[in-house]
Amino acid sequence: MPINAWLRAPRHLVVLFLGITLVLIVALGWLGGRLLQQDRALERQRVQDRLELAADRAAAAFTRRLAAIEDSLARLSATPQSELPIAAGRYADQLASDALLVVLTADGLESFPKGRLIYHPVTSPEVPPASVFARGEALEFRERDYERAGRLFRSLAQSDDPAVRAGALLRLARIHRKADRLDAALAVYADLAQLGDTPVGELPAELVARFARLTVLEELSRVAELQLEADSLYADLYAGRWQITRAGFRFHTQEVGRYVGSDIVHDPGNSMSAHKAVALAEGVDRLWRDWRSGQPDTRSVDRRIVWVGDDPFLIIRVGSSRSAAGIIAGAGQLDDWLTQVELTQATDGVALAIADVQGKPIISRFSDQPEVQARRAAAETGLPLTLRVASASLDADFIQLAERRRVMLLGMSVVALLVLVSLYAVTRGVTRELEAARLKSDFVAAVSHEFRTPLTSMRQLTELLIAGRVASAERRALYYNVINRESERLHRLVEGLLDFGRMEAGALEFHLEDIEVGALVRELVDEFQQEVGERGYEIVLNGGGEGGGGADTYTVRADDEALKRALWNLLDNAVKYSPDCKTVWIDETPENGCIAIRVRDRGVGIARADQKAVFQKFFRGRGRQIDGVKGTGIGLAMVRHIVEAHGGEVQVESEPGAGSTFTVRLPLASD
Ligand code: ADP
């Protein structure tokens, strides 16, 4: 079909409406989208403001926290040596397991709590004068007189000075080993181990003795003992039992590590992992070196993050170059402080994260890249770290937004739906009106046609009669008859149209009376038979049996004339639409409280799609295509109106090509 034809009314209206609706919906969607975008931007700004505020508060709280720590450190650095262990110990007890308090003096470095530092940046061994052992060593090395040398060292081992005692025992054990008295050497080493931290050379006596015992036990192949002692020595090294240097620590852990069981190597029995312990010691080493390289006599506060491998430490040092105190705080300690900051601050609904000055993350309480966050760089806050604040739950922040979005989407959907519904309603209304207009014009044409045929034949016959051109009386009688029949047909037509007009205006009145259905139908059939008999049609009443519907009589409350008109219409249609089979059947049968009057034909039938529509006014089905069939499309509409006004119903069953049956059901009159 060419597009122009397709777009003719009513389709072009539908297309127009559809276009307008589409534009409306798109505009609505665009507006809604813009609105949502703005709303989101506003919400983001609101969250951002809140986070900025929280970031300021957190920075202030962190600053206060560090100031308090620095106060304590300042006090500790000024504490007299005698009170230091108690004061520092008490303070260090509050620290997390990866933090250390150190006090730095000209004498060296002391760390708290004890045992957490596995090696020290400095040791201050008191080396005993070598001259004490000179005689003995001369006997041992030059004269190789082990007996006398041994005696000499044994007597020195009784000295009051523990350093001399330790030196003597070490040498005595050496002589035993040279003399191959390994058991005796072991015993002497055991004695030496009793001297604990007493320095021999640069190392504590106990460490030297216990390490020496391992080598002797190895020589003696006393594997079980060797293993046991090695394990415990290894654990003690990692427990920070002795004040030794990094080199000492590295050497001994490496050497002892050769003897220990593999499970011990990874778990030196410390509360921290070996790795962390080393990192902490390394941190202390840095602190020490920094302090030593600082300007003399300048009171200073130094705080910064240092990384030892992957481990971050915050180092805070307060004091002068003569005495200072510091804290090395690992990630665990920083986490604790962060928690305190969170607790002291009204930081509800926000999460904190800290990073070093360059922004390398240390602790984060939220996902990597939050949508909204506030940042405080070290330069802004004066803190040794970067502070970041994000929403603890961004979802919660945007919940209202989501709610508004839902409402808006719902509103927009409703509006869109309304637009669509109204489009549908308008289109339907317009289509119907146009269809009705078409039907009406068809109706006018049909009515004119209905009138013209009888009028034409009446005029021709009357002209003939007036002109006196019909000679035979018989012919004249025939013509009068035709004129009479045609005028009756016109009369019925006009009555029908008038009734239809009244029906349309709601002014059709019925005069109800008790009517015996059988008699009414018989009378109607007689009249109708006369009407159509000439054309060869036969109306069969109640299957053709004598006496109609038998002995029973059925009464209904009805308007005699109206009911006849309705049934006449049905019979008229049955005849009109049966061009071939010229028999029409009518019968009435009782059906629980009703009387059913059926008019049946074997005519053209009604297409299934049309069966509902035939009762609409002006509707004319495909039957009108039969040659010579006239009609106005109001017959069945009248039938339905009349039957329903009588409290009944009318139905059609039809098979195209096989015929139709119209059934009128009327309630029986109650006695
Ligand atoms: P019309 O004046 O066209 O007969 P009706 O209202 O009486 O108007 O009938 C409506 C349409 O129903 C008819 O145009 C016809 O197509 C169909 N129709 C009615 N009765 C019959 C029938 N007995 N057999 C076939 N078609 C019928």
Side-chain angles (χ1 to χ4, degrees), residues 384-457:
L385 38 80
T386 308
L387 203 62
R388 288 195 302 146
V389 178
S391 232
S393 157
L394 206 62
D395 290 350
D397 278 329
F398 284 100
I399 218 158
Q400 281 183 336
L401 183 72
E403 187 63 32
R404 280 204 296 280
R405 172 179 294 198
R406 253 202 305 281
V407 170
M408 192 177 283
L409 283 179
L410 196 78
M412 270 166 29
S413 318
V414 168
V415 172
L417 200 76
L418 279 177
V419 170
L420 282 175
V421 167
S422 32
L423 167 82
Y424 175 74
V426 168
T427 314
R428 211 176 128 95
V430 168
T431 317
R432 277 195 175 172
E433 283 306 310
L434 289 171
E435 182 65 15
R438 188 181 64 77
L439 286 175
K440 269 185 189 158
S441 76
D442 283 1
F443 171 70
V444 172
V447 169
S448 320
H449 194 68
E450 286 276 287
F451 272 88
R452 188 192 287 146
T453 320
L455 277 177
T456 311
S457 61

Coordinates of all heavy atoms in Angstrom, one line a residue, residues 384-457:
P384 N 52.8 14.5 60.5 CA 53.8 13.8 59.7 C 53.2 12.8 58.7 O 53.9 12.0 58.2 CB 54.7 13.0 60.7 CG 53.7 12.8 61.9 CD 52.7 13.9 61.9
L385 N 51.9 13.0 58.5 CA 51.2 12.0 57.6 C 50.1 12.7 56.9 O 49.6 13.8 57.2 CB 50.8 10.8 58.4 CG 50.2 11.0 59.8 CD1 48.8 11.5 59.7 CD2 50.3 9.7 60.6
T386 N 49.6 12.0 55.8 CA 48.5 12.5 55.1 C 47.2 11.8 55.7 O 47.2 10.6 55.9 CB 48.6 12.1 53.6 OG1 49.9 12.5 53.2 CG2 47.5 12.7 52.8
L387 N 46.2 12.6 55.9 CA 45.0 12.1 56.4 C 43.9 12.1 55.4 O 43.7 13.0 54.6 CB 44.6 13.0 57.6 CG 43.7 12.4 58.7 CD1 44.4 11.3 59.4 CD2 43.3 13.5 59.7
R388 N 43.2 11.0 55.3 CA 42.0 10.9 54.3 C 40.8 10.5 55.1 O 40.8 9.7 56.0 CB 42.3 9.9 53.2 CG 43.4 10.4 52.2 CD 43.4 9.6 51.0 NE 43.6 8.2 51.2 CZ 43.0 7.2 50.5 NH1 42.2 7.5 49.5 NH2 43.3 5.9 50.8
V389 N 39.7 11.1 54.7 CA 38.4 10.8 55.3 C 37.4 10.4 54.2 O 37.3 11.2 53.2 CB 37.9 12.0 56.1 CG1 36.5 11.7 56.8 CG2 38.9 12.3 57.2
A390 N 36.7 9.4 54.4 CA 35.6 9.0 53.5 C 34.4 8.6 54.3 O 34.5 8.4 55.5 CB 36.1 7.9 52.6
S391 N 33.3 8.4 53.6 CA 32.1 8.0 54.2 C 32.2 6.6 54.6 O 32.7 5.7 53.9 CB 31.0 8.1 53.2 OG 29.9 8.9 53.8
A392 N 31.8 6.3 55.9 CA 31.9 4.9 56.3 C 31.0 4.0 55.4 O 31.3 2.9 55.1 CB 31.4 4.8 57.8
S393 N 29.8 4.6 55.1 CA 28.9 3.8 54.2 C 28.3 4.9 53.2 O 27.4 5.6 53.6 CB 27.9 3.1 55.0 OG 26.8 2.9 54.2
L394 N 28.9 4.9 52.0 CA 28.4 5.8 51.1 C 26.9 5.6 50.7 O 26.2 6.5 50.4 CB 29.3 5.8 49.8 CG 29.3 7.1 49.0 CD1 29.9 8.2 49.8 CD2 30.1 6.9 47.8
D395 N 26.6 4.3 50.8 CA 25.2 3.9 50.4 C 24.3 4.6 51.3 O 23.2 5.1 50.9 CB 25.0 2.4 50.6 CG 25.8 1.6 49.6 OD1 26.2 2.3 48.6 OD2 25.9 0.4 49.7
A396 N 24.6 4.7 52.6 CA 23.7 5.3 53.6 C 23.6 6.8 53.2 O 22.5 7.4 53.4 CB 24.3 5.2 55.0
D397 N 24.7 7.4 52.8 CA 24.6 8.8 52.4 C 23.7 9.1 51.3 O 23.0 10.1 51.2 CB 26.0 9.3 52.0 CG 26.8 9.7 53.3 OD1 26.2 10.1 54.2 OD2 28.1 9.5 53.2
F398 N 23.7 8.1 50.3 CA 23.0 8.3 49.1 C 21.6 7.7 49.2 O 20.9 7.6 48.1 CB 23.8 7.9 47.9 CG 24.9 8.8 47.6 CD1 26.2 8.6 47.9 CD2 24.6 10.0 46.9 CE1 27.2 9.5 47.6 CE2 25.6 10.9 46.6 CZ 26.9 10.6 46.9
I399 N 21.2 7.3 50.4 CA 20.0 6.6 50.5 C 18.8 7.5 50.1 O 17.8 7.1 49.4 CB 19.8 5.9 51.9 CG1 19.2 4.6 51.7 CG2 19.1 6.8 52.8 CD1 19.4 3.6 52.9
Q400 N 18.9 8.7 50.6 CA 17.8 9.7 50.4 C 17.7 10.0 48.9 O 16.7 10.1 48.3 CB 18.1 11.0 51.1 CG 17.7 10.9 52.6 CD 17.9 12.2 53.2 OE1 18.7 13.0 52.8 NE2 17.2 12.4 54.3
L401 N 18.9 10.1 48.3 CA 19.0 10.3 46.9 C 18.3 9.2 46.1 O 17.5 9.4 45.2 CB 20.5 10.4 46.5 CG 20.7 10.8 45.0 CD1 20.3 12.2 44.8 CD2 22.1 10.5 44.6
A402 N 18.6 8.0 46.5 CA 18.1 6.8 45.9 C 16.5 6.9 46.0 O 15.8 6.6 45.1 CB 18.6 5.5 46.5
E403 N 16.1 7.3 47.2 CA 14.7 7.3 47.5 C 14.0 8.4 46.5 O 13.0 8.1 45.9 CB 14.5 7.8 48.9 CG 13.0 7.7 49.4 CD 12.5 6.3 49.4 OE1 13.2 5.4 49.6 OE2 11.3 6.2 49.1
R404 N 14.7 9.6 46.5 CA 14.1 10.6 45.6 C 14.1 10.1 44.1 O 13.2 10.4 43.4 CB 15.0 11.9 45.7 CG 14.7 12.7 46.9 CD 15.0 14.1 46.7 NE 16.5 14.3 46.5 CZ 17.3 14.3 47.5 NH1 16.9 14.2 48.8 NH2 18.6 14.5 47.3
R405 N 15.2 9.4 43.8 CA 15.3 9.0 42.4 C 14.1 8.0 42.1 O 13.5 8.0 41.0 CB 16.6 8.3 42.2 CG 16.7 7.6 40.9 CD 18.1 6.9 40.7 NE 19.1 7.9 40.7 CZ 20.3 7.7 40.2 NH1 20.6 6.5 39.8 NH2 21.2 8.6 40.2
R406 N 13.9 7.1 43.1 CA 12.8 6.2 42.9 C 11.5 6.9 42.7 O 10.7 6.6 41.8 CB 12.7 5.2 44.1 CG 13.2 3.8 43.8 CD 12.6 2.8 44.8 NE 12.9 3.2 46.2 CZ 14.0 3.0 46.8 NH1 15.0 2.4 46.2 NH2 14.2 3.3 48.1
V407 N 11.2 7.9 43.6 CA 9.9 8.6 43.5 C 9.8 9.3 42.1 O 8.8 9.2 41.5 CB 9.8 9.6 44.6 CG1 8.7 10.6 44.4 CG2 9.7 8.9 46.0
M408 N 11.0 9.9 41.7 CA 10.9 10.6 40.5 C 10.7 9.7 39.3 O 9.9 10.0 38.4 CB 12.2 11.4 40.3 CG 12.2 12.4 39.2 SD 13.7 13.3 39.0 CE 13.6 14.4 40.4
L409 N 11.4 8.6 39.3 CA 11.2 7.6 38.2 C 9.8 7.1 38.2 O 9.2 7.0 37.1 CB 12.1 6.4 38.4 CG 13.6 6.7 38.0 CD1 14.5 5.5 38.2 CD2 13.7 7.1 36.5
L410 N 9.2 6.9 39.4 CA 7.8 6.4 39.5 C 6.9 7.5 38.9 O 6.0 7.2 38.1 CB 7.5 6.2 40.9 CG 6.2 5.3 41.1 CD1 6.6 3.9 40.9 CD2 5.7 5.5 42.5
G411 N 7.1 8.7 39.3 CA 6.3 9.8 38.8 C 6.4 9.9 37.3 O 5.4 10.0 36.6
M412 N 7.6 9.8 36.8 CA 7.8 9.9 35.4 C 7.1 8.8 34.6 O 6.5 9.0 33.6 CB 9.3 10.0 35.0 CG 9.8 11.4 35.0 SD 11.6 11.6 35.0 CE 12.2 10.3 34.2
S413 N 7.2 7.6 35.2 CA 6.6 6.4 34.6 C 5.1 6.7 34.6 O 4.4 6.3 33.6 CB 6.9 5.2 35.3 OG 8.2 5.1 35.7
V414 N 4.5 7.2 35.7 CA 3.1 7.4 35.8 C 2.7 8.4 34.7 O 1.7 8.2 34.0 CB 2.7 7.9 37.2 CG1 1.2 8.4 37.2 CG2 2.8 6.8 38.2
V415 N 3.5 9.5 34.6 CA 3.1 10.5 33.6 C 3.2 9.9 32.2 O 2.3 10.1 31.3 CB 4.1 11.7 33.7 CG1 3.8 12.7 32.5 CG2 3.8 12.4 35.0
A416 N 4.3 9.1 31.9 CA 4.4 8.5 30.6 C 3.2 7.6 30.3 O 2.7 7.5 29.3 CB 5.7 7.8 30.5
L417 N 2.9 6.9 31.4 CA 1.7 5.9 31.2 C 0.5 6.7 30.9 O -0.3 6.3 30.1 CB 1.6 5.1 32.5 CG 0.8 3.8 32.4 CD1 1.7 2.8 31.7 CD2 0.3 3.3 33.7
L418 N 0.3 7.8 31.7 CA -0.9 8.6 31.5 C -1.0 9.1 30.0 O -2.0 9.0 29.4 CB -1.0 9.8 32.4 CG -1.5 9.4 33.8 CD1 -1.4 10.7 34.7 CD2 -2.9 8.9 33.8
V419 N 0.2 9.6 29.6 CA 0.3 10.1 28.2 C -0.1 9.0 27.2 O -0.9 9.2 26.3 CB 1.7 10.6 27.9 CG1 1.8 10.9 26.4 CG2 1.9 11.9 28.7
L420 N 0.4 7.8 27.5 CA 0.1 6.7 26.6 C -1.3 6.3 26.6 O -2.0 6.1 25.6 CB 1.0 5.4 27.0 CG 2.5 5.5 26.5 CD1 3.2 4.4 27.1 CD2 2.5 5.5 25.0
V421 N -1.9 6.3 27.8 CA -3.3 5.9 28.0 C -4.2 6.9 27.3 O -5.1 6.6 26.5 CB -3.7 5.8 29.5 CG1 -5.2 5.7 29.6 CG2 -3.0 4.5 30.1
S422 N -3.8 8.2 27.5 CA -4.7 9.2 26.8 C -4.5 9.1 25.3 O -5.5 9.3 24.6 CB -4.4 10.6 27.3 OG -3.1 10.7 27.7
L423 N -3.3 8.8 24.9 CA -3.1 8.7 23.4 C -4.0 7.5 22.9 O -4.7 7.7 21.9 CB -1.6 8.3 23.1 CG -1.4 7.8 21.7 CD1 -1.2 9.0 20.8 CD2 -0.2 6.9 21.6
Y424 N -4.0 6.4 23.7 CA -4.8 5.3 23.2 C -6.3 5.7 23.2 O -7.0 5.4 22.2 CB -4.6 4.2 24.2 CG -5.5 3.0 24.0 CD1 -5.3 2.1 22.9 CD2 -6.6 2.7 24.8 CE1 -6.1 1.1 22.6 CE2 -7.4 1.6 24.6 CZ -7.2 0.8 23.5 OH -8.0 -0.2 23.2
A425 N -6.7 6.4 24.3 CA -8.2 6.8 24.4 C -8.5 7.7 23.2 O -9.6 7.5 22.6 CB -8.4 7.4 25.7
V426 N -7.7 8.7 23.0 CA -8.0 9.7 22.0 C -8.1 9.0 20.6 O -9.0 9.1 19.8 CB -6.9 10.8 21.9 CG1 -7.1 11.7 20.7 CG2 -7.1 11.7 23.2
T427 N -7.0 8.1 20.3 CA -7.0 7.4 19.1 C -8.3 6.6 18.9 O -8.9 6.6 17.8 CB -5.8 6.5 19.0 OG1 -4.7 7.2 19.5 CG2 -5.5 6.0 17.6
R428 N -8.6 5.9 20.0 CA -9.8 5.0 19.9 C -11.0 5.8 19.6 O -11.9 5.5 18.8 CB -9.9 4.3 21.2 CG -10.5 2.9 21.1 CD -10.5 2.3 22.5 NE -11.8 1.8 22.9 CZ -12.2 0.6 22.7 NH1 -11.4 -0.3 22.1 NH2 -13.4 0.2 23.0
G429 N -11.1 6.9 20.4 CA -12.3 7.8 20.2 C -12.5 8.3 18.8 O -13.5 8.2 18.2
V430 N -11.3 8.8 18.3 CA -11.3 9.4 17.0 C -11.7 8.3 16.0 O -12.5 8.5 15.1 CB -10.0 10.0 16.7 CG1 -9.8 10.4 15.2 CG2 -9.8 11.3 17.5
T431 N -11.1 7.2 16.1 CA -11.3 6.1 15.2 C -12.8 5.7 15.2 O -13.4 5.5 14.1 CB -10.5 4.8 15.5 OG1 -9.2 5.3 15.9 CG2 -10.4 3.8 14.4
R432 N -13.3 5.6 16.4 CA -14.8 5.3 16.5 C -15.7 6.3 15.8 O -16.6 6.0 15.1 CB -15.1 5.1 18.0 CG -14.8 3.8 18.5 CD -15.4 3.6 19.8 NE -15.2 2.2 20.2 CZ -15.5 1.8 21.4 NH1 -16.2 2.6 22.2 NH2 -15.3 0.5 21.7
E433 N -15.3 7.6 16.1 CA -16.2 8.6 15.6 C -16.1 8.6 14.0 O -17.2 8.7 13.4 CB -15.7 10.0 16.0 CG -16.1 10.4 17.5 CD -17.6 10.2 17.7 OE1 -18.3 10.8 16.9 OE2 -18.0 9.6 18.6
L434 N -14.9 8.4 13.5 CA -14.8 8.3 12.1 C -15.5 7.2 11.5 O -16.2 7.3 10.5 CB -13.3 8.3 11.7 CG -12.5 9.5 12.0 CD1 -11.0 9.3 11.8 CD2 -13.0 10.6 11.0
E435 N -15.4 6.0 12.2 CA -16.1 4.8 11.8 C -17.7 5.1 11.8 O -18.4 4.7 10.9 CB -15.7 3.7 12.7 CG -16.3 2.3 12.4 CD -15.8 1.8 11.0 OE1 -14.8 2.3 10.5 OE2 -16.5 0.9 10.4
A436 N -18.1 5.7 12.9 CA -19.5 6.0 13.0 C -20.0 6.9 11.9 O -21.1 6.7 11.3 CB -19.8 6.7 14.4
A437 N -19.2 7.9 11.6 CA -19.5 8.8 10.5 C -19.6 8.1 9.2 O -20.6 8.3 8.4 CB -18.4 9.9 10.4
R438 N -18.7 7.1 9.0 CA -18.7 6.4 7.8 C -20.0 5.5 7.7 O -20.7 5.5 6.7 CB -17.5 5.5 7.7 CG -17.4 4.8 6.4 CD -16.1 3.9 6.3 NE -16.2 2.8 7.3 CZ -17.0 1.7 7.1 NH1 -17.7 1.5 6.0 NH2 -17.0 0.7 8.0
L439 N -20.3 4.9 8.9 CA -21.5 4.0 8.9 C -22.8 4.9 8.7 O -23.7 4.4 8.0 CB -21.6 3.4 10.3 CG -20.6 2.2 10.6 CD1 -20.7 1.7 12.0 CD2 -20.9 1.1 9.6
K440 N -22.8 6.1 9.2 CA -24.0 6.9 9.1 C -24.2 7.3 7.6 O -25.3 7.2 7.1 CB -23.9 8.2 9.9 CG -24.5 8.0 11.3 CD -24.5 9.2 12.1 CE -24.9 9.0 13.5 NZ -24.4 10.0 14.4
S441 N -23.1 7.6 6.9 CA -23.2 8.0 5.5 C -23.7 6.8 4.7 O -24.5 6.9 3.8 CB -22.0 8.6 5.0 OG -21.0 7.7 4.7
D442 N -23.1 5.6 5.1 CA -23.6 4.3 4.4 C -25.1 4.2 4.6 O -25.8 3.8 3.8 CB -22.9 3.1 5.0 CG -21.4 3.0 4.5 OD1 -21.1 3.9 3.7 OD2 -20.7 2.1 4.9
F443 N -25.5 4.5 5.9 CA -26.9 4.3 6.3 C -27.8 5.2 5.4 O -28.8 4.7 4.9 CB -27.0 4.7 7.8 CG -28.5 4.7 8.3 CD1 -29.2 3.6 8.4 CD2 -29.0 5.9 8.6 CE1 -30.5 3.6 8.9 CE2 -30.3 6.0 9.1 CZ -31.1 4.8 9.2
V444 N -27.4 6.4 5.3 CA -28.2 7.4 4.5 C -28.4 6.8 3.1 O -29.5 6.8 2.5 CB -27.6 8.8 4.5 CG1 -28.3 9.7 3.5 CG2 -27.6 9.3 5.9
A445 N -27.2 6.4 2.5 CA -27.3 5.8 1.2 C -28.2 4.6 1.1 O -29.0 4.5 0.2 CB -25.8 5.4 0.7
A446 N -28.1 3.7 2.1 CA -28.9 2.5 2.1 C -30.4 2.9 2.2 O -31.2 2.3 1.5 CB -28.5 1.6 3.3
V447 N -30.7 3.8 3.1 CA -32.1 4.2 3.3 C -32.7 4.8 2.0 O -33.8 4.4 1.6 CB -32.2 5.2 4.5 CG1 -33.6 5.8 4.5 CG2 -31.9 4.5 5.8
S448 N -31.9 5.6 1.4 CA -32.4 6.2 0.1 C -32.7 5.1 -0.9 O -33.7 5.2 -1.6 CB -31.3 7.2 -0.5 OG -30.7 7.9 0.6
H449 N -31.8 4.2 -0.9 CA -31.9 3.1 -1.8 C -33.2 2.3 -1.5 O -34.0 1.9 -2.4 CB -30.7 2.2 -1.7 CG -30.6 1.2 -2.8 ND1 -30.3 1.6 -4.1 CD2 -30.7 -0.1 -2.9 CE1 -30.3 0.5 -4.9 NE2 -30.5 -0.5 -4.1
E450 N -33.4 2.0 -0.2 CA -34.6 1.3 0.2 C -35.9 2.0 -0.2 O -36.8 1.3 -0.6 CB -34.6 1.1 1.7 CG -33.6 0.2 2.3 CD -34.1 -1.3 2.3 OE1 -35.0 -1.6 3.1 OE2 -33.7 -2.0 1.4
F451 N -35.8 3.3 -0.1 CA -37.0 4.1 -0.5 C -37.3 4.1 -2.0 O -38.4 4.0 -2.5 CB -36.9 5.5 0.0 CG -37.4 5.7 1.4 CD1 -36.6 5.5 2.5 CD2 -38.8 6.0 1.7 CE1 -37.1 5.6 3.8 CE2 -39.2 6.1 3.0 CZ -38.4 6.0 4.0
R452 N -36.2 4.2 -2.7 CA -36.3 4.4 -4.1 C -37.0 3.3 -4.9 O -37.9 3.5 -5.7 CB -34.9 4.7 -4.7 CG -35.1 5.1 -6.2 CD -33.7 5.1 -6.9 NE -32.8 6.1 -6.5 CZ -31.5 6.0 -6.5 NH1 -31.0 4.8 -6.8 NH2 -30.8 7.0 -6.2
T453 N -36.6 2.0 -4.5 CA -37.2 0.9 -5.3 C -38.7 0.8 -5.2 O -39.4 0.8 -6.3 CB -36.5 -0.4 -4.7 OG1 -35.2 -0.2 -4.5 CG2 -36.7 -1.6 -5.7
P454 N -39.3 0.8 -4.0 CA -40.8 0.7 -4.0 C -41.4 2.0 -4.6 O -42.4 1.9 -5.4 CB -41.2 0.6 -2.5 CG -40.0 1.0 -1.8 CD -38.8 0.8 -2.6
L455 N -40.8 3.1 -4.4 CA -41.4 4.4 -4.9 C -41.4 4.3 -6.4 O -42.4 4.7 -7.1 CB -40.6 5.6 -4.4 CG -41.0 6.1 -3.0 CD1 -40.1 7.2 -2.6 CD2 -42.5 6.5 -3.1
T456 N -40.3 3.9 -7.0 CA -40.2 3.8 -8.5 C -41.3 2.9 -9.1 O -42.0 3.3 -10.0 CB -38.8 3.3 -8.9 OG1 -37.8 4.0 -8.2 CG2 -38.6 3.4 -10.4
S457 N -41.4 1.7 -8.5 CA -42.4 0.8 -9.1 C -43.8 1.3 -8.9 O -44.7 1.3 -9.7 CB -42.3 -0.6 -8.5 OG -42.5 -0.6 -7.1

